Amino acid sequence: MTQTEAAAVRTQIVVEAPIERAFNVFTEQFGDFKPPEHNLLQAAIAETIFEPRVGGHIYDRGVDGSECRWARVLIYQPPDRVVFSWDISPQWQIETDPDNTSEVEVRFVAETPTRTRLELEHRNIDRHGSGWQAVAEGVADDAGWPLYLARYAALVSEGS
């Protein structure tokens, strides 16, 4: 396995929903499927906000009003694609240097008018520097992206 391959985690899921709905649930309801225990705040999360524009952020707002901006929206192309940064270090703290962050690309592919394949690639994880392997292992683990996508698929199916 090459360094580039090792520094990327890929996963996908198929949902029974038109591409527009699949995209909208992912971006508009991100906080509804993001596990609440995935929290860098001192307080419980009141909501997770996904700002639907290039230059926007994904952030958690605590019940105490505190905020944690843990991603930047880099590409926003509804209903086909969104790319955001992963501004979380190997120590599971906010990384403020964009050169030390990875990227998550999510593509939505219409398989039929009512079925969509979501392809997620978390790449350039080695940019996190020393300890980047822990980030790769964490996001690939059952409690990482697979958990997010399982919860996402359940949310999509609730509305169909």
Side-chain angles (χ1 to χ4, degrees), residues 37 39 42 66 115 117-118 128 146 160:
E37 64 273 16
N39 182 3
Q42 298 299 314
S66 60
R115 178 180 294 150
R117 183 175 68 251
L118 180 154
H128 289 284
S160 30

Side-chain angles (χ1 to χ4, degrees), residues 147-160:
L147 175 61
Y148 278 70
L149 295 188
R151 291 173 55 110
Y152 161 78
L155 186 61
V156 170
S157 68
E158 284 175 15
S160 30

Side-chain angles (χ1 to χ4, degrees), residues 19-65:
I19 190 170
E20 292 84 4
R21 173 164 165 68
F23 184 91
N24 290 342
V25 168
F26 190 90
T27 57
E28 296 171 10
Q29 297 180 260
F30 194 90
D32 294 341
F33 63 86
K34 178 183 178 275
E37 64 273 16
H38 291 194
N39 182 3
L40 299 179
L41 294 168
Q42 298 299 314
I45 296 174
E47 62 181 337
T48 297
I49 293 97
F50 188 118
E51 297 176 326
R53 66 183 184 284
V54 171
H57 291 87
I58 304 173
Y59 63 96
D60 297 326
R61 180 175 293 133
V63 294
D64 62 356

Side-chain angles (χ1 to χ4, degrees), residues 39 102 114:
N39 182 3
S102 52
T114 60

Side-chain angles (χ1 to χ4, degrees), residues 1-11 102-103 121-129 131-141 145:
M1 184 179 288
T2 67
Q3 174 91 357
T4 305
E5 290 169 334
V9 170
R10 294 174 188 87
T11 188
S102 52
E103 293 178 351
E121 179 184 43
H122 191 150
R123 61 182 175 239
N124 303 320
I125 300 173
D126 54 342
R127 285 188 196 162
H128 289 284
W132 69 266
Q133 296 90 342
V135 175
E137 291 167 8
V139 300
D141 185 78
W145 288 122

